[in-house]
PDB file of all heavy atoms in Angstrom:
ATOM      1  N   ILE S 513     110.358  98.441   4.504  1.00  0.00           N
ATOM      2  CA  ILE S 513     110.573  98.510   3.053  1.00  0.00           C
ATOM      3  C   ILE S 513     109.295  98.957   2.353  1.00  0.00           C
ATOM      4  O   ILE S 513     109.324  99.768   1.425  1.00  0.00           O
ATOM      5  CB  ILE S 513     111.046  97.139   2.527  1.00  0.00           C
ATOM      6  CG1 ILE S 513     112.460  96.823   3.033  1.00  0.00           C
ATOM      7  CG2 ILE S 513     111.023  97.114   0.995  1.00  0.00           C
ATOM      8  CD1 ILE S 513     112.934  95.441   2.684  1.00  0.00           C
ATOM      9  N   THR S 516     108.904 102.605   2.903  1.00  0.00           N
ATOM     10  CA  THR S 516     109.829 103.353   2.042  1.00  0.00           C
ATOM     11  C   THR S 516     109.303 103.437   0.625  1.00  0.00           C
ATOM     12  O   THR S 516     109.408 104.465  -0.048  1.00  0.00           O
ATOM     13  CB  THR S 516     111.204 102.668   2.060  1.00  0.00           C
ATOM     14  OG1 THR S 516     111.652 102.550   3.404  1.00  0.00           O
ATOM     15  CG2 THR S 516     112.211 103.491   1.261  1.00  0.00           C
ATOM     16  N   LYS S 517     108.718 102.333   0.162  1.00  0.00           N
ATOM     17  CA  LYS S 517     108.118 102.352  -1.178  1.00  0.00           C
ATOM     18  C   LYS S 517     106.999 103.377  -1.258  1.00  0.00           C
ATOM     19  O   LYS S 517     106.862 104.100  -2.254  1.00  0.00           O
ATOM     20  CB  LYS S 517     107.590 100.955  -1.511  1.00  0.00           C
ATOM     21  CG  LYS S 517     106.944 100.857  -2.893  1.00  0.00           C
ATOM     22  CD  LYS S 517     106.372  99.471  -3.141  1.00  0.00           C
ATOM     23  CE  LYS S 517     105.624  99.422  -4.473  1.00  0.00           C
ATOM     24  NZ  LYS S 517     105.011  98.111  -4.703  1.00  0.00           N
ATOM     25  N   LEU S 520     108.503 106.826  -1.518  1.00  0.00           N
ATOM     26  CA  LEU S 520     109.009 107.078  -2.870  1.00  0.00           C
ATOM     27  C   LEU S 520     107.866 107.372  -3.833  1.00  0.00           C
ATOM     28  O   LEU S 520     107.964 108.254  -4.695  1.00  0.00           O
ATOM     29  CB  LEU S 520     109.813 105.875  -3.358  1.00  0.00           C
ATOM     30  CG  LEU S 520     111.193 105.683  -2.725  1.00  0.00           C
ATOM     31  CD1 LEU S 520     111.759 104.346  -3.142  1.00  0.00           C
ATOM     32  CD2 LEU S 520     112.111 106.803  -3.132  1.00  0.00           C
ATOM     33  N   HIS S 521     106.768 106.633  -3.674  1.00  0.00           N
ATOM     34  CA  HIS S 521     105.616 106.883  -4.544  1.00  0.00           C
ATOM     35  C   HIS S 521     105.051 108.282  -4.295  1.00  0.00           C
ATOM     36  O   HIS S 521     104.683 108.988  -5.249  1.00  0.00           O
ATOM     37  CB  HIS S 521     104.551 105.822  -4.270  1.00  0.00           C
ATOM     38  CG  HIS S 521     103.330 105.937  -5.162  1.00  0.00           C
ATOM     39  ND1 HIS S 521     103.390 105.742  -6.532  1.00  0.00           N
ATOM     40  CD2 HIS S 521     102.042 106.247  -4.868  1.00  0.00           C
ATOM     41  CE1 HIS S 521     102.177 105.920  -7.049  1.00  0.00           C
ATOM     42  NE2 HIS S 521     101.346 106.231  -6.053  1.00  0.00           N
ATOM     43  N   GLU S 555     113.511 108.186 -10.138  1.00  0.00           N
ATOM     44  CA  GLU S 555     112.973 107.013 -10.823  1.00  0.00           C
ATOM     45  C   GLU S 555     113.795 105.766 -10.508  1.00  0.00           C
ATOM     46  O   GLU S 555     113.254 104.677 -10.302  1.00  0.00           O
ATOM     47  CB  GLU S 555     112.963 107.275 -12.326  1.00  0.00           C
ATOM     48  CG  GLU S 555     111.952 108.354 -12.747  1.00  0.00           C
ATOM     49  CD  GLU S 555     112.044 108.655 -14.220  1.00  0.00           C
ATOM     50  OE1 GLU S 555     112.927 108.067 -14.883  1.00  0.00           O
ATOM     51  OE2 GLU S 555     111.252 109.478 -14.714  1.00  0.00           O
ATOM     52  N   LYS S 556     115.131 105.918 -10.482  1.00  0.00           N
ATOM     53  CA  LYS S 556     115.985 104.765 -10.184  1.00  0.00           C
ATOM     54  C   LYS S 556     115.712 104.239  -8.777  1.00  0.00           C
ATOM     55  O   LYS S 556     115.628 103.034  -8.564  1.00  0.00           O
ATOM     56  CB  LYS S 556     117.457 105.151 -10.321  1.00  0.00           C
ATOM     57  CG  LYS S 556     117.884 105.391 -11.765  1.00  0.00           C
ATOM     58  CD  LYS S 556     119.352 105.759 -11.825  1.00  0.00           C
ATOM     59  CE  LYS S 556     119.812 106.024 -13.269  1.00  0.00           C
ATOM     60  NZ  LYS S 556     121.234 106.422 -13.309  1.00  0.00           N
ATOM     61  N   SER S 557     115.605 105.167  -7.796  1.00  0.00           N
ATOM     62  CA  SER S 557     115.366 104.735  -6.424  1.00  0.00           C
ATOM     63  C   SER S 557     114.004 104.053  -6.283  1.00  0.00           C
ATOM     64  O   SER S 557     113.844 103.084  -5.551  1.00  0.00           O
ATOM     65  CB  SER S 557     115.445 105.942  -5.482  1.00  0.00           C
ATOM     66  OG  SER S 557     114.470 106.896  -5.837  1.00  0.00           O
ATOM     67  N   GLU S 558     112.985 104.553  -7.040  1.00  0.00           N
ATOM     68  CA  GLU S 558     111.665 103.931  -6.981  1.00  0.00           C
ATOM     69  C   GLU S 558     111.703 102.533  -7.591  1.00  0.00           C
ATOM     70  O   GLU S 558     111.116 101.589  -7.047  1.00  0.00           O
ATOM     71  CB  GLU S 558     110.655 104.806  -7.715  1.00  0.00           C
ATOM     72  CG  GLU S 558     109.236 104.291  -7.584  1.00  0.00           C
ATOM     73  CD  GLU S 558     108.234 105.244  -8.223  1.00  0.00           C
ATOM     74  OE1 GLU S 558     108.674 106.244  -8.779  1.00  0.00           O
ATOM     75  OE2 GLU S 558     107.038 104.943  -8.153  1.00  0.00           O
ATOM     76  N   GLU S 559     112.397 102.365  -8.731  1.00  0.00           N
ATOM     77  CA  GLU S 559     112.516 101.035  -9.331  1.00  0.00           C
ATOM     78  C   GLU S 559     113.223 100.073  -8.390  1.00  0.00           C
ATOM     79  O   GLU S 559     112.870  98.905  -8.279  1.00  0.00           O
ATOM     80  CB  GLU S 559     113.280 101.152 -10.653  1.00  0.00           C
ATOM     81  CG  GLU S 559     112.481 101.881 -11.748  1.00  0.00           C
ATOM     82  CD  GLU S 559     113.306 102.056 -13.006  1.00  0.00           C
ATOM     83  OE1 GLU S 559     114.493 101.649 -12.990  1.00  0.00           O
ATOM     84  OE2 GLU S 559     112.780 102.584 -13.999  1.00  0.00           O
ATOM     85  N   LYS S 560     114.239 100.595  -7.692  1.00  0.00           N
ATOM     86  CA  LYS S 560     114.975  99.740  -6.775  1.00  0.00           C
ATOM     87  C   LYS S 560     114.090  99.270  -5.620  1.00  0.00           C
ATOM     88  O   LYS S 560     114.132  98.113  -5.213  1.00  0.00           O
ATOM     89  CB  LYS S 560     116.175 100.512  -6.228  1.00  0.00           C
ATOM     90  CG  LYS S 560     117.212  99.623  -5.573  1.00  0.00           C
ATOM     91  CD  LYS S 560     118.472 100.423  -5.317  1.00  0.00           C
ATOM     92  CE  LYS S 560     119.593  99.498  -4.846  1.00  0.00           C
ATOM     93  NZ  LYS S 560     120.841 100.219  -4.612  1.00  0.00           N
ATOM     94  N   SER S 561     113.270 100.197  -5.092  1.00  0.00           N
ATOM     95  CA  SER S 561     112.376  99.822  -3.989  1.00  0.00           C
ATOM     96  C   SER S 561     111.338  98.807  -4.443  1.00  0.00           C
ATOM     97  O   SER S 561     110.990  97.883  -3.716  1.00  0.00           O
ATOM     98  CB  SER S 561     111.696 101.075  -3.439  1.00  0.00           C
ATOM     99  OG  SER S 561     110.849 101.624  -4.416  1.00  0.00           O
ATOM    100  N   ILE S 562     110.818  98.975  -5.675  1.00  0.00           N
ATOM    101  CA  ILE S 562     109.835  98.015  -6.202  1.00  0.00           C
ATOM    102  C   ILE S 562     110.479  96.642  -6.369  1.00  0.00           C
ATOM    103  O   ILE S 562     109.875  95.612  -6.075  1.00  0.00           O
ATOM    104  CB  ILE S 562     109.268  98.532  -7.541  1.00  0.00           C
ATOM    105  CG1 ILE S 562     108.443  99.798  -7.295  1.00  0.00           C
ATOM    106  CG2 ILE S 562     108.402  97.475  -8.198  1.00  0.00           C
ATOM    107  CD1 ILE S 562     108.014 100.483  -8.558  1.00  0.00           C
ATOM    108  N   GLN S 563     111.722  96.629  -6.853  1.00  0.00           N
ATOM    109  CA  GLN S 563     112.422  95.358  -7.038  1.00  0.00           C
ATOM    110  C   GLN S 563     112.630  94.654  -5.702  1.00  0.00           C
ATOM    111  O   GLN S 563     112.440  93.447  -5.577  1.00  0.00           O
ATOM    112  CB  GLN S 563     113.772  95.615  -7.711  1.00  0.00           C
ATOM    113  CG  GLN S 563     114.528  94.337  -8.037  1.00  0.00           C
ATOM    114  CD  GLN S 563     115.841  94.643  -8.729  1.00  0.00           C
ATOM    115  OE1 GLN S 563     116.154  95.807  -8.963  1.00  0.00           O
ATOM    116  NE2 GLN S 563     116.593  93.630  -9.056  1.00  0.00           N
ATOM    117  N   ILE S 564     112.984  95.422  -4.668  1.00  0.00           N
ATOM    118  CA  ILE S 564     113.170  94.830  -3.342  1.00  0.00           C
ATOM    119  C   ILE S 564     111.863  94.272  -2.812  1.00  0.00           C
ATOM    120  O   ILE S 564     111.803  93.191  -2.241  1.00  0.00           O
ATOM    121  CB  ILE S 564     113.742  95.890  -2.380  1.00  0.00           C
ATOM    122  CG1 ILE S 564     115.169  96.254  -2.807  1.00  0.00           C
ATOM    123  CG2 ILE S 564     113.743  95.385  -0.953  1.00  0.00           C
ATOM    124  CD1 ILE S 564     115.738  97.424  -2.023  1.00  0.00           C
ATOM    125  N   ASP S 565     110.768  95.004  -3.043  1.00  0.00           N
ATOM    126  CA  ASP S 565     109.468  94.551  -2.565  1.00  0.00           C
ATOM    127  C   ASP S 565     109.025  93.281  -3.278  1.00  0.00           C
ATOM    128  O   ASP S 565     108.437  92.391  -2.676  1.00  0.00           O
ATOM    129  CB  ASP S 565     108.440  95.674  -2.767  1.00  0.00           C
ATOM    130  CG  ASP S 565     107.126  95.341  -2.078  1.00  0.00           C
ATOM    131  OD1 ASP S 565     107.110  95.289  -0.838  1.00  0.00           O
ATOM    132  OD2 ASP S 565     106.139  95.124  -2.797  1.00  0.00           O
ATOM    133  N   GLU S 566     109.318  93.201  -4.598  1.00  0.00           N
ATOM    134  CA  GLU S 566     108.961  91.983  -5.333  1.00  0.00           C
ATOM    135  C   GLU S 566     109.759  90.786  -4.835  1.00  0.00           C
ATOM    136  O   GLU S 566     109.239  89.681  -4.701  1.00  0.00           O
ATOM    137  CB  GLU S 566     109.202  92.204  -6.830  1.00  0.00           C
ATOM    138  CG  GLU S 566     108.200  93.184  -7.450  1.00  0.00           C
ATOM    139  CD  GLU S 566     108.515  93.439  -8.899  1.00  0.00           C
ATOM    140  OE1 GLU S 566     109.574  92.960  -9.357  1.00  0.00           O
ATOM    141  OE2 GLU S 566     107.721  94.112  -9.576  1.00  0.00           O
ATOM    142  N   GLU S 567     111.032  90.997  -4.557  1.00  0.00           N
ATOM    143  CA  GLU S 567     111.841  89.908  -4.017  1.00  0.00           C
ATOM    144  C   GLU S 567     111.301  89.459  -2.664  1.00  0.00           C
ATOM    145  O   GLU S 567     111.297  88.273  -2.339  1.00  0.00           O
ATOM    146  CB  GLU S 567     113.290  90.372  -3.887  1.00  0.00           C
ATOM    147  CG  GLU S 567     113.978  90.579  -5.236  1.00  0.00           C
ATOM    148  CD  GLU S 567     115.391  91.087  -5.052  1.00  0.00           C
ATOM    149  OE1 GLU S 567     115.775  91.309  -3.884  1.00  0.00           O
ATOM    150  OE2 GLU S 567     116.097  91.248  -6.049  1.00  0.00           O
ATOM    151  N   ASP S 568     110.835  90.434  -1.895  1.00  0.00           N
ATOM    152  CA  ASP S 568     110.279  90.098  -0.580  1.00  0.00           C
ATOM    153  C   ASP S 568     109.004  89.275  -0.716  1.00  0.00           C
ATOM    154  O   ASP S 568     108.761  88.341   0.050  1.00  0.00           O
ATOM    155  CB  ASP S 568     110.014  91.399   0.178  1.00  0.00           C
ATOM    156  CG  ASP S 568     109.612  91.125   1.612  1.00  0.00           C
ATOM    157  OD1 ASP S 568     109.903  90.023   2.094  1.00  0.00           O
ATOM    158  OD2 ASP S 568     109.018  92.019   2.230  1.00  0.00           O
ATOM    159  N   GLN S 569     108.162  89.617  -1.708  1.00  0.00           N
ATOM    160  CA  GLN S 569     106.929  88.871  -1.897  1.00  0.00           C
ATOM    161  C   GLN S 569     107.190  87.461  -2.426  1.00  0.00           C
ATOM    162  O   GLN S 569     106.506  86.507  -2.071  1.00  0.00           O
ATOM    163  CB  GLN S 569     106.015  89.635  -2.861  1.00  0.00           C
ATOM    164  CG  GLN S 569     105.475  90.936  -2.278  1.00  0.00           C
ATOM    165  CD  GLN S 569     104.621  91.693  -3.266  1.00  0.00           C
ATOM    166  OE1 GLN S 569     104.484  91.261  -4.412  1.00  0.00           O
ATOM    167  NE2 GLN S 569     104.058  92.813  -2.831  1.00  0.00           N
ATOM    168  N   ILE S 588     118.358 103.905   0.055  1.00  0.00           N
ATOM    169  CA  ILE S 588     117.124 104.553  -0.408  1.00  0.00           C
ATOM    170  C   ILE S 588     116.774 105.731   0.490  1.00  0.00           C
ATOM    171  O   ILE S 588     116.399 106.809   0.012  1.00  0.00           O
ATOM    172  CB  ILE S 588     115.971 103.531  -0.443  1.00  0.00           C
ATOM    173  CG1 ILE S 588     116.212 102.497  -1.546  1.00  0.00           C
ATOM    174  CG2 ILE S 588     114.635 104.221  -0.686  1.00  0.00           C
ATOM    175  CD1 ILE S 588     115.244 101.335  -1.522  1.00  0.00           C
TER     176      ILE S 588
END
Side-chain angles (χ1 to χ4, degrees):
I513 291 174
T516 305
K517 180 183 175 183
L520 287 171
H521 183 65
E555 292 176 357
K556 290 180 181 178
S557 60
E558 185 175 2
E559 291 176 358
K560 196 169 188 179
S561 66
I562 293 172
Q563 184 179 359
I564 293 172
D565 189 67
E566 290 177 353
E567 291 178 357
D568 188 20
Q569 292 178 357
I588 291 171

